[in-house]
Amino acid sequence: MDKRVEDKVDFPDDFSPMEEESMPEAALHDKLIQYLVEVLEWLFHWQLCAIHRNLAFYFIRNRSILSVAPDLAVIKGLSFQPVKSWCVGKTGPAPHVVFEVLSDETW
């Protein structure tokens, strides 16, 4: 990662896969995410673009693994890849934009 960009990136240090798994999405949350996927697919239908739901993105920095699993991630210039996780810089670039849909409980 470019050092100029790396200094501006906020690396979360509180990610825990168990926390994500123990908090199921509400039906409204899921419908909103699906609607957003459909809007993004429509928006990018003429462009090569991968849209991933709940995919774990990770980056290895100073022998530590930093990871996040946003509700949605958009990566322009690549086709969808059916992977279980995404190593930024190895599997492909970092997402261009991510979306996390929050509720009163998860805010």
Side-chain angles (χ1 to χ4, degrees):
M1 181 182 284
D2 187 321
K3 182 67 175 155
R4 294 170 295 165
V5 173
E6 188 175 295
D7 291 341
K8 296 179 181 179
V9 175
D10 180 24
F11 291 102
D13 58 1
D14 62 348
F15 176 78
S16 168
M18 291 306 292
E19 288 177 21
E20 290 289 320
E21 294 299 321
S22 65
M23 296 174 50
E25 295 175 349
L28 183 58
H29 185 128
D30 186 58
K31 284 204 169 284
L32 179 57
I33 293 169
Q34 182 57 39
Y35 175 72
L36 186 52
V37 167
E38 292 171 11
V39 169
L40 291 168
E41 287 174 344
W42 173 83
L43 182 66
F44 294 113
H45 73 277
W46 290 109
Q47 299 177 40
L48 190 58
C49 182
I51 300 170
H52 286 276
R53 288 181 72 157
N54 297 313
L55 181 62
F57 289 87
Y58 67 96
F59 179 73
I60 301 171
R61 180 180 186 202
N62 300 331
R63 293 181 288 211
S64 296
I65 297 177
L66 306 165
S67 60
V68 294
D71 289 329
L72 287 176
V74 178
I75 306 166
K76 293 174 69 177
L78 291 178
S79 59
F80 179 84
Q81 298 178 42
V83 294
K84 292 182 180 182
S85 63
W86 187 283
C87 181
V88 174
K90 184 175 179 181
T91 308
H96 290 91
V97 66
V98 296
F99 296 89
E100 187 68 29
V101 178
L102 303 176
S103 66
D104 288 339
E105 293 81 25
T106 62
W107 178 254

